[in-house]
Amino acid sequence: MTHAMLKGSNIPLEATTVRAVLRWTPGQGVPDVDASALLLGSDGRVRSDEDFVFYNQPRHPSGAVWRLGKKRVGEGLTDTVQADLTGLEPGVSRVLLVASADGETFDRVPALCVLVYDAATADAEPLARFEVTPETGAETALICGELYRRGDAWKFRALGEGYSNGLKGLATDFGISVDESEAVEEPPRSESLSLPLPPEQPPPVPAQPPAYGYPQATSALRSAYGYPQPATTAAAQPGYGYPQPAGPQQATVQQPPATQQQSAYGYPQPQPLPAAALDPDFRLPPQGPQFLGR
């Protein structure tokens, strides 16, 4: 059975581990809400800054109080703090359950409530429900309720007490040390921190595009118009039909002897017979019509 709590009322807790769920309805213009907890001693103040469990310090060193983080449930958003009551140190007499609106006022947060569950029972109905209504609407931080000792037992009390100077003012009021040089705004949340950017690198120098789509030759082989041509050590090639001047490095071409016949366009040329091969007494046989018909 769920107890509908009124402001200032309390109920005993038989559960050894409780889960306090802060719930609200998100929407356009609705600020983000965070749940946190303050562990107080018998004097009503924290023993050290470690007794403040919030988004930048999500778990108490004792391990008895920690944040479970945010979750969407139906049309609502939740942020949860869980406490192991049997694991709390004897010097802790109260655990405040706090809501902060990231510097915004709670009159812009609809349907804000606190649900207290027995964490050992899965899918169970809440033990208590408290509809948190700001007194003025200008509060930027609220103490929604508290878990407190009565002898060896624990109870839950509905509070709804507001602070207009945000989570920083509330924490300072209960003994948290706050550096006065810090800005008024709340510290950046570790949940929303982004990874450090790599060191900025100078932009790469773009490669020179080739002219008119043709690949360019290297500087040693460049032959574009207007560039001086490198001197060549090879013999100059003859031009078409034009005699070439002999350079200082031009090779001497061996000319054939004047008596040697040059071959013309691939046809074999007749070779003269040596004089010793001729017979001085050689005569052609008789030829003529008188020899025909013999």
Side-chain angles (χ1 to χ4, degrees):
M1 179 180 176
T2 301
H3 293 271
M5 306 287 294
L6 299 175
K7 186 174 181 177
S9 63
N10 65 79
I11 60 168
L13 297 173
E14 296 180 359
T16 58
T17 304
V18 296
R19 188 168 64 248
V21 180
L22 190 67
R23 182 170 179 173
W24 69 98
T25 301
Q28 186 175 6
V30 176
D32 196 18
V33 178
D34 295 291
S36 54
L38 286 166
L39 284 67
L40 307 181
S42 57
D43 59 352
R45 296 174 67 83
V46 298
R47 299 165 299 171
S48 71
D49 290 351
E50 292 180 341
D51 284 341
F52 186 21
V53 177
F54 67 121
Y55 40 74
N56 281 348
Q57 186 170 273
R59 192 176 188 90
H60 191 264
S62 67
V65 180
W66 65 96
R67 295 181 73 245
L68 293 179
K70 295 182 180 179
K71 184 178 179 181
R72 179 174 288 276
V73 179
E75 297 181 355
L77 280 178
T78 64
D79 198 4
T80 303
V81 173
Q82 188 158 309
D84 178 8
L85 301 179
T86 60
L88 285 170
E89 300 157 306
V92 177
S93 60
R94 299 164 62 195
V95 178
L96 301 184
L97 304 174
V98 177
S100 57
D102 198 18
E104 303 292 338
T105 56
F106 271 95
D107 59 351
R108 300 171 57 189
V109 181
L112 181 66
C113 67
V114 175
L115 304 167
V116 179
Y117 292 86
D118 181 353
T121 305
D123 300 327
E125 292 185 358
L127 302 174
R129 179 187 181 98
F130 174 45
E131 303 288 342
V132 183
T133 304
E135 293 181 354
T136 65
E139 297 89 346
T140 54
L142 288 168
I143 302 175
C144 299
E146 65 175 357
L147 306 168
Y148 64 99
R149 289 184 191 267
R150 278 296 178 263
D152 295 333
W154 285 86
K155 291 185 176 183
F156 170 73
R157 177 183 288 125
L159 292 177
E161 298 175 359
Y163 284 75
S164 60
N165 52 355
L167 186 61
K168 178 180 176 181
L170 186 152
T172 303
D173 202 24
F174 287 95
I176 296 295
S177 301
V178 178
D179 188 354
E180 294 299 331
S181 63
E182 294 179 355
V184 177
E185 290 78 12
E186 296 178 6
R189 305 175 192 178
S190 59
E191 295 175 351
S192 59
L193 290 179
S194 57
L195 294 176
L197 294 175
E200 185 176 355
Q201 300 293 332
V205 178
Q208 185 69 23
Y212 301 102
Y214 292 95
Q216 300 299 303
T218 60
S219 59
L221 300 176
R222 186 182 298 275
S223 60
Y225 296 107
Y227 289 92
Q229 302 303 306
T232 177
T233 58
Q237 299 297 323
Y240 295 102
Y242 292 93
Q244 301 300 312
Q249 303 269 339
Q250 187 172 4
T252 303
V253 180
Q254 184 68 32
Q255 298 294 332
T259 58
Q260 184 176 352
Q261 183 106 15
Q262 299 296 323
S263 59
Y265 299 99
Y267 289 94
Q269 302 300 308
Q271 300 297 325
L273 293 175
L278 298 178
D279 186 1
D281 297 328
F282 176 76
R283 296 292 184 272
L284 290 176
Q287 297 183 22
Q290 66 272 22
F291 294 101
L292 297 178
R294 288 189 178 185

